[in-house]
Amino acid sequence: MIKINENYLKLEADYLFASVASRVREFEQKNPGRELVWMGIGDVTQPLPPACIVAFHRAVAELAQRQSFRGYGPSAGYGFLREAIARHDFQARGADISADEVFVSDGAKCDSANVQELFARELRLAIPDPVYPVYLESNVMAGRTGVARDGRYEGVTYLEATPANGYVPDLPAAPVDLIYLCFPNNPTGATATREQLGNWVDWARANRALILFDAAYESYIRDPDLPHSIYEIPGAQQVAIEFRSYSKSAGFTGVRCAYTVVPAACTAYTADGAPVALRELWRRRQDTKSNGVSYPVQRAAEALYGAEGQRQVRALTDGYLANAACALDALGRLGYRCSGGSNSPYIWLQVEGDSWTFFDRLLQRHGVVCTPGAGFGRCGEHHVRLSAFSSLAHTREAMRRMAGMH
Ligand code: MLT
């Protein structure tokens, strides 16, 4: 008899963004022709930067010629892209990361979901609340939690991010082994200072824990004092893996390209306490399970590091930040208390009542799609997330409609 992985049965409801999409679909079927304004899933709307398109076309043309054709690429990514990443994203910011510590992939979502395969099933897990659901659910699927009760899985240490701590969780009170952090944060838009990240790194070092640091939104940081990478913090290389993505910086949500940094010094331990280099385990995993990202996509990503590419990425993210600023201003005038929206494309606003009811009201009566905070965890209740990835005109229209709720 073929048996299932029963951990899947512990998962509550559908994946958050699938639940939202199905409610929206149902609404659209019942209300044909009603124009919706999308502030829900963080999916980009602006076309790819022109520098990328040129590189894409050129790479596709190379594949059309026998002399320049390429088949399988290296599973960790081509050297030209890994070198550019190490130089521009890390060394230029004083973080000593080299190309052989960079692993190119087709998404930070899949990397942050897959990385838990490297660790023991019985480790002690710390997950922020609210949280991007992928971190938690990938561990539920792997059997690292008990069942869910009242929206929380047994066996998980939840790191609460609330208005009281400015949505930056405090250090764990109990010992944990694996910690997920995301800054600028999805969903709260909160950012972590150098000092706050330094406290996490010190804590991880003192406790032989590991931090999985999701920096998918770092290109939205404008405050020069905020760190973009955890490796800007001394000592982080031993205790942190970092995820980056071109999805939100360069509009690659559909193109798919991201990377994970596993420094040579990053260490975990066998049951006997012997140190093991995580970079070698991740390389081994990727060699077996991945053939990497297509050549034209990697050339398109490389083009983002040229002068034109950098300028275009900046213009793209500035545009989304302008939407966020417009929404933040309007929401403030409507009396909402908000986090994020500067140094982040997400605005996290406190709402009265439960967040799914607010979501339904906003959709049904005003035709605006948001993401209900409860879908990100218990501490997300009484909040909703608005994303700034639509156009300025749509953002203004959403704000006009939200004003009508009052
Ligand atoms: C989000 O809306 O949280 C993101 O788009 C999800 C993702 O990047 O997978």
Side-chain angles (χ1 to χ4, degrees), residues 296-337:
V297 167
Q298 292 193 58
R299 281 293 186 200
E302 179 198 23
L304 298 169
Y305 293 102
E308 275 296 283
Q310 291 283 283
R311 204 181 47 71
Q312 291 161 4
V313 165
R314 182 71 178 206
L316 209 49
T317 50
D318 276 350
Y320 292 132
L321 282 170
N323 298 345
C326 159
L328 206 51
D329 178 55
L331 293 166
R333 278 189 277 110
L334 292 174
Y336 286 104
R337 297 171 73 177

Side-chain angles (χ1 to χ4, degrees), residues 15 17 40-43 109 132 186 217 248 346 376 385:
Y15 183 59
F17 295 106
I41 189 166
D43 195 4
K109 176 180 184 177
Y132 178 44
N186 178 11
Y217 299 93
K248 314 298 159 84
Y346 293 127
F376 297 100
R385 192 193 75 177

Side-chain angles (χ1 to χ4, degrees), residues 6-286:
E6 293 199 17
N7 294 309
Y8 276 66
L9 303 181
K10 296 177 192 163
L11 292 168
E12 288 211 311
D14 283 335
Y15 183 59
L16 172 61
F17 295 106
S19 299
V20 169
S22 97
R23 286 199 195 203
V24 174
R25 245 189 336 269
E26 196 185 316
F27 175 82
E28 284 179 315
Q29 274 158 10
K30 287 190 187 143
N31 301 275
R34 177 85 189 272
E35 210 189 308
L36 294 181
V37 185
W38 290 84
M39 308 280 280
I41 189 166
D43 195 4
V44 292
T45 53
Q46 297 302 309
L48 295 176
C52 245
I53 296 293
V54 171
F56 232 137
H57 279 295
R58 196 178 297 134
V60 170
E62 280 180 54
L63 298 184
Q65 303 296 324
R66 177 182 268 275
Q67 316 83 285
S68 47
F69 174 76
R70 299 180 189 229
Y72 290 126
S75 72
Y78 284 100
F80 59 77
L81 179 55
R82 300 169 82 199
E83 293 287 348
I85 289 168
R87 222 175 22 254
H88 291 273
D89 289 345
F90 298 98
Q91 293 161 15
R93 300 195 58 83
D96 184 18
I97 293 296
S98 60
D100 61 4
E101 297 171 311
V102 173
F103 295 81
V104 176
S105 78
D106 66 343
K109 176 180 184 177
C110 41
D111 283 358
S112 63
N114 290 333
V115 70
Q116 48 75 30
E117 287 180 23
L118 305 189
F119 309 112
R121 201 173 65 86
E122 58 280 5
L123 58 72
R124 296 164 299 184
L125 180 65
I127 297 272
D129 179 1
V131 74
Y132 178 44
V134 171
Y135 315 149
L136 178 59
E137 293 183 359
S138 54
N139 278 286
V140 174
M141 291 168 176
R144 244 177 234 112
T145 72
V147 295
R149 292 189 205 289
D150 293 334
R152 284 202 165 167
Y153 290 92
E154 289 174 346
V156 176
T157 295
Y158 285 91
L159 306 170
E160 299 197 342
T162 64
N165 57 21
Y167 302 106
V168 178
D170 301 328
L171 297 171
V176 296
D177 306 306
L178 187 64
I179 301 157
Y180 288 77
L181 293 178
C182 171
F183 292 108
N185 187 261
N186 178 11
T188 68
T191 51
T193 63
R194 214 167 277 281
E195 190 192 350
Q196 285 167 323
L197 271 194
N199 291 339
W200 280 100
V201 167
D202 291 347
W203 193 93
R205 289 172 67 90
N207 290 277
R208 295 210 290 181
L210 185 81
I211 298 170
L212 298 176
F213 188 74
D214 188 347
Y217 299 93
E218 65 73 37
S219 61
Y220 289 86
I221 294 176
R222 293 293 180 270
D223 179 341
D225 293 331
L226 290 173
H228 289 234
S229 165
I230 197 162
Y231 305 121
E232 291 175 45
I233 309 299
Q237 299 198 2
Q238 285 80 28
V239 293
I241 289 175
E242 181 165 309
F243 307 100
R244 292 279 188 107
S245 168
Y246 299 103
S247 286
K248 314 298 159 84
S249 60
F252 274 41
T253 52
V255 172
R256 310 306 306 154
C257 195
Y259 65 87
T260 290
V261 180
V262 191
C266 191
T267 304
Y269 302 87
T270 65
D272 298 335
V276 176
L278 285 172
R279 180 176 65 163
E280 307 322 315
L281 295 193
W282 186 245
R283 185 200 312 288
R284 190 67 186 80
R285 190 240 175 238
Q286 293 299 83

